[in-house]
């Protein structure tokens, strides 16, 4: 596919136009940021890991009836995707307490939720630092319609069920993750963005060892090895 104009460069990906107006290329980078870009670094081979892993998980979700933006792999670090008009909301799905939820409600990391999953909404706004939104804020902002919000919420829970089972069979606990949705040219709501150790908390089921971007955020070391291990388990046979 012809790689056209660079349309957008984010912290972890570059999006290019193609010769088809409804198809974009999404190219994953090794660069990593955290805390609204205040922490910067590079994770070796991350672009390839996140591309190959996202491709496999999008294909799995499509098989399970969840519509995604994935069209096919283009290279080691790039995939073809449907052009979507993205909702300005991030959907965070949580099964176990970690990260900002632990700080917000005071439960220690690792506490199972009483009635999982929780779905939270965050406003995609770099200027505001992606704040958590409650439903009254969503009503006021009107960045996503109530129908689209409820459809994407149902889809988020389906994604959780599919991925929890998939990861469990590979010895990984799916703690939480962030999703982004948008509408294609036909008005169909699709899952976009990526599903990777950048956007999920993944813990080894036997040891609770962190196998995700928290190793980078928290300066724990072993970041590249953790990403490589997740890719090995995702692309390899079931182990548990
Ligand atoms: P949090 O506990 O920091 O709110 O993160 C929840 C999940 O969302 C976690 O799996 C990491 C992911 N996430 C992103 O993908 N991008 C972000 O900018 C943030 C803050 C979290
Ligand atoms: N990617 C986000 C940032 O750079 C945050 C994160 O993943 O922790 O701010």
């Amino acid at each position: 596919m012809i790689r056209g104009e660079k349309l957008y460069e984010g912290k972890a990906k570059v999006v290019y136009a193609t010769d088809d107006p409804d198809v974009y290329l999404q190219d994953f980078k090794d660069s990593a940021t955290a805390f609204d870009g205040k922490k910067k670094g590079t994770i070796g081979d991350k672009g390839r890991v996140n591309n190959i892993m996202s491709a496999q998980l999008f294909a799995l979700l499509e098989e399970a009836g969840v519509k995604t933006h994935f069209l096919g792999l283009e290279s080691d670090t790039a995939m073809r995707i449907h052009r979507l008009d993205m909702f300005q909301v991030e959907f965070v799905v949580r099964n176990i307490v970690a990260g900002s939820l632990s700080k917000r409600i005071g439960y220690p990391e690792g506490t199972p939720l009483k009635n999982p999953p929780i779905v939270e909404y965050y406003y995609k706004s770099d200027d505001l630092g992606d704040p958590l939104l409650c439903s009254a804020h969503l009503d006021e902002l009107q960045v996503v319609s109530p129908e689209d919000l409820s459809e994407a919420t149902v889809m988020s829970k389906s994604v959780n069920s599919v991925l929890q089972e998939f990861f469990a069979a590979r010895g990984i606990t799916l703690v939480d993750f962030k999703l982004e949705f948008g509408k294609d040219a036909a008005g169909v709501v699709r899952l976009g963005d990526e599903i990777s150790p950048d956007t999920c908390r993944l813990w080894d089921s036997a040891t609770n060892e962190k196998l995700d971007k928290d190793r980078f955020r928290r300066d724990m070391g072993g970041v590249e090895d953790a990403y490589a291990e997740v890719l090995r388990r995702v692309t390899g046979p079931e182990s548990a």
Side-chain angles (χ1 to χ4, degrees):
M1 191 133 218
I2 292 168
R3 182 174 292 217
E5 186 193 346
K6 187 198 277 192
L7 299 172
Y8 166 83
E9 178 149 14
K11 297 174 195 130
K13 296 186 285 291
V14 187
V15 176
Y16 297 92
T18 68
D19 43 337
D20 181 335
D22 289 329
V23 177
Y24 286 168
L25 288 181
Q26 158 165 287
D27 201 341
F28 291 74
K29 305 195 286 190
D30 288 350
S31 59
T33 65
F35 314 118
D36 291 327
K38 286 186 213 53
K39 183 180 172 76
K40 290 190 173 65
T42 299
I43 300 174
D45 208 31
K46 175 167 88 76
R48 187 184 69 87
V49 169
N50 288 5
N51 183 48
I52 303 294
M53 175 166 165
S54 294
Q56 177 151 344
L57 296 180
F58 283 138
L60 175 78
L61 288 166
E62 288 278 351
E63 270 173 44
V66 178
K67 293 190 174 67
T68 79
H69 69 162
F70 180 65
L71 288 168
L73 273 176
E74 182 72 7
S75 73
D76 258 9
T77 62
M79 60 170 64
R80 294 183 296 282
I81 56 172
H82 287 277
R83 176 176 64 78
L84 300 183
D85 284 327
M86 299 305 292
F87 303 152
Q88 293 310 298
V89 172
E90 298 188 348
F91 295 69
V92 169
V93 182
R94 301 181 187 270
N95 297 304
I96 294 172
V97 175
S100 68
L101 182 62
S102 168
K103 294 204 176 88
R104 183 165 288 113
I105 67 173
Y107 292 10
E109 277 205 329
T111 310
L113 288 164
K114 292 186 195 77
N115 190 19
I118 285 179
V119 181
E120 297 173 341
Y121 309 104
Y122 291 82
Y123 190 17
K124 268 180 76 71
S125 163
D126 283 340
D127 289 346
L128 299 177
D130 296 346
L132 177 70
L133 298 174
C134 66
S135 64
H137 301 153
L138 283 156
D139 287 347
E140 172 59 36
L141 286 167
Q142 296 186 347
V143 285
V144 53
S145 72
E147 295 74 29
D148 291 343
L149 187 73
S150 87
E151 185 168 353
T153 303
V154 170
M155 289 170 76
S156 296
K157 291 178 184 170
S158 303
V159 171
N160 187 50
S161 306
V162 174
L163 294 187
Q164 247 189 336
E165 188 187 341
F166 176 85
F167 282 119
R170 287 154 181 84
I172 292 175
T173 303
L174 180 60
V175 174
D176 60 30
F177 55 97
K178 186 261 302 182
L179 300 175
E180 298 188 26
F181 295 87
K183 273 190 178 171
D184 69 14
V188 174
V189 176
R190 292 181 180 275
L191 175 63
D193 197 51
E194 66 181 275
I195 307 171
S196 73
D198 274 16
T199 61
C200 303
R201 286 198 173 92
L202 304 168
W203 294 355
D204 181 275
S205 308
T207 64
N208 278 346
E209 186 190 357
K210 296 183 197 312
L211 299 172
D212 57 60
K213 193 175 167 188
D214 271 347
R215 301 198 76 86
F216 169 79
R217 296 188 187 99
R218 302 178 188 187
D219 294 321
M220 296 170 73
V223 188
E224 277 91 354
D225 286 349
Y227 277 62
E229 177 62 17
V230 170
L231 184 66
R232 192 185 67 73
R233 293 201 205 174
V234 164
T235 54
E238 294 189 9
S239 64

